[in-house]
Amino acid sequence: PQNTGNKICIIFTIYIFIYLTIQTNELVKELEQSKISFFNAQIKPHFIYNTLSNIIALCYTDNIKAASLLGKFSTYLRLIFDNKDSQSLVNIAEELKLIDAYVEIEKARFPEKITYKLQVSEDLLLLKIPAFSIQPFVENAIRHGLFNKVDDGTVELSITQQQEQLFVKVQDNGIGMTQETLKYVLNGTNQNQGIGIMNVKQRLHYMGNTKLKIDSNPDEGTVVAITLPIAEIPFPIFE
């Protein structure tokens, strides 16, 4: 029975890989035609391959954990594919699902490395925000802030509302950045940092009346603060 379970798990993972390859080829064609680079910044091939490799490895040792991780990966891909349009709006709950899926995938690879804390009021979950306006900052905090840290680290996400504005804060106690590196990240000239940050920055700028502030110090961590004008977007939308 164990061997059968392993084979089923591996076959299913391979099927997902083939499906993903087909979908990626279609998306490349769309990007070439539309000249949209937005989606391409949201999903990295090495992240996909690392995740699939981890799932296959778990198929031999822990089928239940492999199935759980595959479920998170499926959720992650579905949300990415469903919102590849740079103009997409999603409710906060959907953005948090994407973040949760990403965090769980990375925690499966480095179980003792990452602590993720979330603070948000339930009555804010159906408010609409631009797709991928928070997830890239959480991903950046984990990938560049915590992975390069010697010991374990924490990422804290808080979402609050004050009058007609929504305040989002992503804070980590990772390795931080120098002011020079931070400038490169904000300008999009550092290819090893700032995953998706330039895309978020540009889309927020086009929305108007938004603010994005990033503070960082070496060996102390990074704080990202985003302000969105609730009154100028169709908030709330109940579905």
Side-chain angles (χ1 to χ4, degrees), residues 34-173:
S34 63
K35 305 300 182 183
I36 296 174
S37 62
F38 165 73
F39 175 85
N40 192 41
Q42 307 306 321
I43 187 165
K44 302 295 181 181
H46 69 267
F47 171 71
I48 296 174
Y49 301 143
N50 288 341
T51 302
L52 289 172
S53 296
N54 197 28
I55 292 172
I56 291 174
L58 284 171
C59 287
Y60 291 101
T61 59
D62 191 335
N63 286 345
I64 295 177
K65 190 172 182 179
S68 175
L69 185 57
L70 193 57
K72 292 293 183 181
F73 189 48
S74 175
T75 297
Y76 176 85
L77 293 177
R78 177 180 62 80
L79 293 171
I80 290 284
F81 287 135
D82 286 351
N83 296 292
K84 62 180 181 291
D85 184 353
S86 62
Q87 304 301 317
S88 294
L89 288 177
V90 299
N91 58 43
I92 290 176
E94 285 292 290
E95 184 82 359
L96 292 179
K97 284 182 184 178
L98 178 65
I99 293 171
D100 174 73
Y102 172 77
V103 170
E104 290 302 316
I105 289 169
E106 295 292 30
K107 286 176 70 174
R109 295 174 58 208
F110 306 97
E112 306 299 328
K113 192 78 173 177
I114 304 167
T115 298
Y116 170 62
K117 297 180 180 179
L118 171 64
Q119 178 184 349
V120 60
S121 175
E122 190 171 335
D123 61 344
L124 300 181
L125 295 180
L126 294 181
L127 298 183
K128 292 285 185 177
I129 61 174
F132 311 117
S133 57
I134 303 175
Q135 189 272 343
F137 294 105
V138 175
E139 180 174 346
N140 202 61
I142 291 174
R143 184 167 295 179
H144 297 293
L146 302 190
F147 281 178
N148 295 320
K149 187 178 172 71
V150 175
D151 51 0
D152 60 336
T154 301
V155 177
E156 300 182 55
L157 168 60
S158 66
I159 304 174
T160 58
Q161 179 182 356
Q162 295 180 19
Q163 297 180 348
E164 300 301 320
Q165 291 184 312
L166 193 68
F167 294 92
V168 179
K169 184 169 75 171
V170 180
Q171 182 172 2
D172 70 75
N173 62 351

Side-chain angles (χ1 to χ4, degrees), residues 199-218:
N199 285 312
V200 177
K201 182 181 177 181
Q202 291 173 358
R203 288 184 298 132
L204 293 178
H205 174 73
Y206 292 142
M207 285 175 56
N209 295 324
T210 62
K211 294 180 181 179
L212 171 62
K213 182 181 180 182
I214 303 179
D215 292 317
S216 188
N217 291 296

Side-chain angles (χ1 to χ4, degrees), residues 13-23:
T13 303
I14 293 173
Y15 170 80
I16 292 293
F17 177 79
I18 295 172
Y19 169 78
L20 182 57
T21 300
I22 295 172
Q23 290 293 317

